[in-house]
Amino acid sequence: MPDERLLLIVEDDASFSRTLRRSFERRRALLLFKRVNAVRSVGFDRHDGEAVLDLLTLKFTVEGEGPEGTLELVLAGDASIALDVECIETQLADTGGAWETAFKPKHPEGA
């Protein structure tokens, strides 16, 4: 298949395209990390129970030969959480339906 040349065109109707330009969808989810030895954070108040954190990406840096290392959760607004872990063991679960919002997460420069 590497020699195939493909073109994919996606057609959206006009009203749907307008909606995409002005709104975004949010879902509430729980993300559980196991085998965590230490937690560090920057860019937000860990004691603010009302804070909304937008997860942009995960970065893993192996320590030695692994599987231990540091798992960095990169968040919108130049915030992050670093987890020192024995290995990566995680679970993700949606906790409800989606809703529309006009707010878009702020990505750090170069991300």
Side-chain angles (χ1 to χ4, degrees):
M1 293 223 193
D3 293 333
E4 288 185 358
R5 296 179 182 178
L6 303 173
L7 170 66
L8 174 64
I9 299 174
V10 178
E11 173 68 32
D12 292 324
D13 63 61
S15 64
F16 183 64
S17 293
R18 283 191 302 276
T19 300
L20 286 177
R21 283 193 295 268
R22 69 173 180 263
S23 69
F24 304 94
E25 184 178 274
R26 299 270 179 148
R27 294 181 184 271
R28 177 154 296 148
L30 299 175
L31 184 55
L32 172 68
F33 292 95
K34 298 179 181 180
R35 301 181 185 225
V36 175
N37 296 323
V39 178
R40 297 176 303 285
S41 62
V42 295
F44 67 97
D45 181 358
R46 288 171 65 171
H47 303 288
D48 181 358
E50 300 297 314
V52 175
L53 305 174
D54 293 308
L55 179 62
L56 301 177
T57 192
L58 301 172
K59 295 179 183 178
F60 183 68
T61 304
V62 69
E63 181 180 312
E65 294 184 23
E68 61 271 1
T70 300
L71 182 62
E72 181 184 8
L73 288 71
V74 179
L75 308 170
D78 295 326
S80 67
I81 301 171
L83 308 175
D84 292 337
V85 296
E86 294 177 27
C87 64
I88 298 175
E89 187 174 337
T90 186
Q91 292 176 303
L92 175 66
D94 284 339
T95 60
W99 69 92
E100 274 191 35
T101 180
F103 299 102
K104 180 179 178 182
K106 178 186 169 212
H107 294 259
E109 293 295 322

